Amino acid sequence: MITSFLGVLFDGLAYGMLLFLISVGLAVTLGLMNFINLAHGAFAMLGGYVCVLALQRWSLPFSVVLPVAFVISALAGLLLERLLYRHLYHRSHLDQVLATIGLTFMAIAVASYTFGPMQQPLQVPKFLSGQVSVLGVDLNIYRGFLLALGAALTLALTLALERTRFGASVRAAVDRPRIAEALGIRVGLVFQVTFSVGCGLAGLGGALGVQVLGLDPAFPLKFIVYFLLVVAVGGTSGLKGPLYAALLLGVIDVAGKYYVPQIGAFIIYAMMVILLVLRPQGLVSRR
Amino acid sequence: MSPATAHQATTGRAPKAEIIFWLVLAAGFWLWPSYLPLASQVLIAGLFALSLDLVLGYAGIVSLGHAAYFGVGAYAAGVLSKFGWGEPFSGLLVAALCAGVTGFLTSFLVVRGRDLTRLMVTTGIGLLLFELANRLTDITGGNDGLIGMEMSPVLGAFRFDIYGKVAYGYSLAVTFVLFLLMRRLVNSPFGLSLRGIRDNPGRMLALGYPVHRRLIAMYTLAAVYAGVAGALLAQTTQFVGTDVLSFNRSAELMVMLIVGGTGMLYGGLVGAAVFIVAHHYLSGINPAYWQFWLGAFLIAIVMFGRDGVLGACIRLERAWRTRIAKPAAAP
């Protein structure tokens, strides 16, 4: 009983860590620019497909594939920010929702056309697959890798946010954008960089998650609810909120599907509705 | 004045364009006899889009879960028919009631909070009901869908035929009546107060309007309309699949409404017509092709086209009128 619980906890935390990596970009976008980006899942999907291509067609080693996925997604984010997103910052949330849904549809269509509608099978490298027995519990090595990498990245992000000058600009811009601008912080530039990094992280998360979350053209629409949930529950000022929210969500989802598979996904949606109703003022933006 | 507001200011009377519009639809038996099933789909989608317009265009709630009430109505009518009671109009009433109750109960969750919260709550409700429908396979047939519906003849005389003639007439009649009712409502003081709430809820509250209650009333009414549309779909196609509750359907619905234009009552119908006809022709080529251009079109609308197709038509019509009136108006 307790071993299965530990196993579920472990899997849930790994899953949650993955969600966090993907959602952190969304949280920043929302907190910094009050912009609802429903196309965020598309960047994760991009990272996933880059990973599949790099591993299977170009035969790159896994350790190279991950940074490549990050960079390509970050570049895509930068490009789209200049072409499209920039013009939508001051539009209503409805317009943002519509434009980003449109972008999502386009991304799904391109993925479907290029790669076909089926799930992409992926073999993780040998040194990361298999189980290891810890204290009598069988733990999946890949999930452990996800947890470790996620923790390291979270630490790096936190350090960047709290110890660097740029991180200070980001925090200032999230809290009080007008005053930050008045103090000489170029909020537009700050946003461009953070948006790219956020998209890059999403791509990295997507690449890491091909085996755990699955990858097919419908990925953005399937998972956007999870990402939005992390952001809505975790808030957008800082990293701890989304982190805890993501880990909680991961554990609840995995536990729900394991212990009560009949209602599986139900639990997540019910939890979301309940949580949002209890905190209707929206933890999202201070504007 | 935006086209929407200008239009809203004038629909107290019955402009010729509206009358002609409905007459053309009624003449559909002769104008597009081989496309009657498709035309029925357009009418049903138009009614569904009208219900979303009530929520979005008139009450200002961004909802990506409106298919929930459509689905409830569809399943209500479907289950009723499957288990023996096939009279169409009473089926509509039962569906309207079920959808209305669902809408009423969920409205308390939806009218709180701001844009993102509402978006997520409505999406969540839609997804919840979708999962529910998937699980309750005894009632809904789950993934396979609800089959075995038997519809009695409309008004006891018109049996549903394979050419879709009765279905078209039935859908047209129901849509027309509901449209008329809504038209009266949005041009009433209640409707005006809703527009005020959409534009400035704080001010309306300060003026003493029961904002909360009005929103709940409007949301429930929109759910009723969506439920009736769903029931129409179930009754005319005699099948209900779980996709009636899907997120995709909610998203497509929003697209239809935006394409046509919000807040103008007819935007939903126009948008549904454009969407379904385009879908019919384009997706035959390649489904990915359709989705790509749909996405691109959506972005284009947000960036350049305000108020959708109907808004553009109204603006053209006003520009035309001003050009004609100019010489006479010279001081």
Side-chain angles (χ1 to χ4, degrees):
Chain A
M1 225 331 251
I2 199 76
T3 51
S4 69
F5 175 69
L6 282 176
V8 164
L9 189 67
F10 184 72
D11 273 355
L13 286 174
Y15 183 59
M17 193 55 92
L18 202 55
L19 284 180
F20 171 67
L21 281 178
I22 300 180
S23 312
V24 76
L26 186 62
V28 174
T29 308
L30 200 42
L32 198 46
M33 279 314 199
N34 202 14
F35 186 91
I36 299 181
N37 179 19
L38 290 187
H40 193 73
F43 293 100
M45 183 174 74
L46 176 64
Y49 277 115
V50 165
C51 176
V52 168
L53 264 184
L55 272 182
Q56 291 173 347
R57 299 241 194 116
W58 306 330
S59 306
L60 293 175
F62 197 60
S63 47
V64 173
V65 165
L66 293 181
V68 167
F70 178 90
V71 167
I72 292 189
S73 299
L75 285 175
L78 195 63
L79 191 66
L80 278 168
E81 198 271 338
R82 300 205 71 144
L83 286 179
L84 177 68
Y85 284 82
R86 181 172 291 209
H87 306 282
L88 297 168
Y89 295 155
H90 302 292
R91 301 288 286 267
S92 70
H93 277 166
L94 175 64
D95 286 342
Q96 293 168 358
V97 163
L98 289 171
T100 49
I101 285 188
L103 193 62
T104 309
F105 280 170
M106 288 174 78
I108 294 178
V110 168
S112 186
Y113 186 74
T114 324
F115 297 100
M118 307 309 303
Q119 285 271 354
Q120 294 292 329
L122 188 76
Q123 278 294 81
V124 290
K126 291 267 178 14
F127 70 95
L128 282 177
S129 52
Q131 315 262 11
V132 75
S133 194
V134 173
L135 301 174
V137 186
D138 273 330
L139 300 176
N140 185 297
I141 294 188
Y142 191 68
R143 300 263 188 318
F145 167 66
L146 282 179
L147 264 177
L149 186 62
L153 279 170
T154 309
L155 193 62
L157 279 174
T158 316
L159 282 175
L161 209 54
E162 291 184 13
R163 298 286 170 89
T164 65
R165 194 105 171 255
F166 185 74
S169 318
V170 174
R171 276 183 289 134
V174 171
D175 282 347
R176 297 275 187 274
R178 288 224 193 123
I179 298 188
E181 190 85 44
L183 285 173
I185 296 173
R186 294 172 62 188
V187 174
L189 187 64
V190 165
F191 184 64
Q192 261 189 293
V193 175
T194 42
F195 186 70
S196 305
V197 171
C199 292
L201 281 171
L204 180 62
L208 285 169
V210 177
Q211 225 213 10
V212 178
L213 302 172
L215 181 69
D216 64 340
F219 181 93
L221 286 180
K222 273 201 291 187
F223 284 95
I224 190 64
V225 182
Y226 286 81
F227 307 145
L228 284 175
L229 187 57
V230 168
V231 171
V233 171
T236 55
S237 48
L239 292 177
K240 270 193 258 171
L243 179 64
Y244 295 151
L247 291 176
L248 186 67
L249 179 61
V251 171
I252 291 183
D253 195 45
V254 171
K257 292 197 173 124
Y258 184 79
Y259 289 118
V260 277
Q262 310 95 302
I263 27 181
F266 205 73
I267 294 189
I268 288 302
Y269 304 137
M271 189 189 98
M272 167 168 80
V273 174
I274 293 173
L275 268 159
L276 285 173
V277 167
L278 290 178
R279 306 188 72 147
Q281 63 271 32
L283 309 162
V284 167
S285 173
R286 312 228 197 127
R287 285 187 210 197
Chain B
M1 238 194 194
S2 75
T5 358
H7 183 76
Q8 284 171 359
T10 56
T11 44
R13 312 177 289 279
K16 284 188 283 228
E18 288 188 61
I19 299 177
I20 296 176
F21 178 77
W22 287 107
L23 283 177
V24 167
L25 282 183
F29 294 102
W30 297 276
L31 289 175
W32 41 76
S34 45
Y35 288 103
L36 287 177
L38 190 67
S40 303
Q41 292 303 307
V42 170
L43 284 173
I44 291 173
L47 184 62
F48 188 23
L50 173 66
S51 76
L52 184 67
D53 202 7
L54 300 180
V55 166
L56 184 62
Y58 287 96
I61 301 174
V62 182
S63 165
L64 271 178
H66 208 59
Y69 313 109
F70 185 77
V72 165
Y75 276 113
V79 166
L80 196 67
S81 166
K82 179 176 172 181
F83 291 106
W85 185 259
E87 204 283 308
F89 287 110
S90 45
L92 284 185
L93 271 170
V94 169
L97 198 67
C98 292
V101 167
T102 315
F104 179 70
L105 292 174
T106 51
S107 66
F108 296 99
L109 304 171
V110 172
V111 297
R112 298 154 66 106
R114 293 167 39 197
D115 280 344
L116 182 63
T117 316
R118 279 180 184 172
L119 186 70
M120 298 207 51
V121 171
T122 52
T123 313
I125 293 171
L127 289 168
L128 265 175
L129 284 172
F130 180 74
E131 283 296 320
L132 207 61
N134 253 322
R135 304 288 166 172
L136 297 174
T137 42
D138 293 334
I139 307 177
T140 62
N143 254 324
D144 296 327
L146 189 84
I147 49 175
M149 282 179 70
E150 283 272 353
M151 298 306 308
S152 319
V154 176
L155 294 176
F158 304 97
R159 186 165 284 283
F160 282 101
D161 61 308
I162 51 169
Y163 299 105
K165 281 197 269 193
V166 172
Y168 182 71
Y170 178 54
S171 310
L172 185 60
V174 172
T175 307
F176 180 65
V177 169
L178 288 179
F179 229 86
L180 225 53
L181 282 172
M182 191 46 65
R183 195 177 178 288
R184 284 294 283 126
L185 187 75
V186 297
N187 289 310
S188 69
F190 179 80
L192 285 173
S193 74
L194 278 167
R195 263 176 261 156
I197 291 172
R198 177 196 65 201
D199 289 336
N200 200 335
R203 189 82 180 269
M204 292 300 282
L205 204 57
L207 284 170
Y209 282 90
V211 169
H212 233 70
R213 275 193 284 164
R214 299 264 158 130
L215 282 175
I216 288 176
M218 190 49 139
Y219 196 78
T220 309
L221 193 60
V224 166
Y225 268 57
V228 171
L232 275 178
L233 181 70
Q235 290 177 342
T236 51
T237 57
Q238 296 179 17
F239 173 77
V240 185
T242 51
D243 68 297
V244 293
L245 290 165
S246 65
F247 178 76
N248 254 323
R249 193 166 279 259
S250 295
E252 276 185 354
L253 178 72
M254 180 162 282
V255 173
M256 277 188 232
L257 181 61
I258 297 299
V259 164
T262 54
M264 291 179 281
L265 214 63
Y266 284 88
L269 260 181
V270 170
V274 170
F275 186 91
I276 290 181
V277 169
H279 181 84
H280 182 75
Y281 285 111
L282 289 179
S283 68
I285 308 174
N286 183 342
Y289 194 72
W290 157 251
Q291 206 170 25
F292 183 82
W293 288 111
L294 179 64
F297 188 57
L298 208 51
I299 295 180
I301 286 191
V302 170
M303 301 287 283
F304 310 117
R306 304 263 61 224
D307 295 322
V309 170
L310 196 57
C313 289
I314 293 179
R315 257 177 301 162
L316 276 172
E317 189 240 1
R318 271 199 308 163
W320 177 255
R321 278 223 206 128
T322 354
R323 279 179 67 217
I324 303 178
K326 241 195 204 155

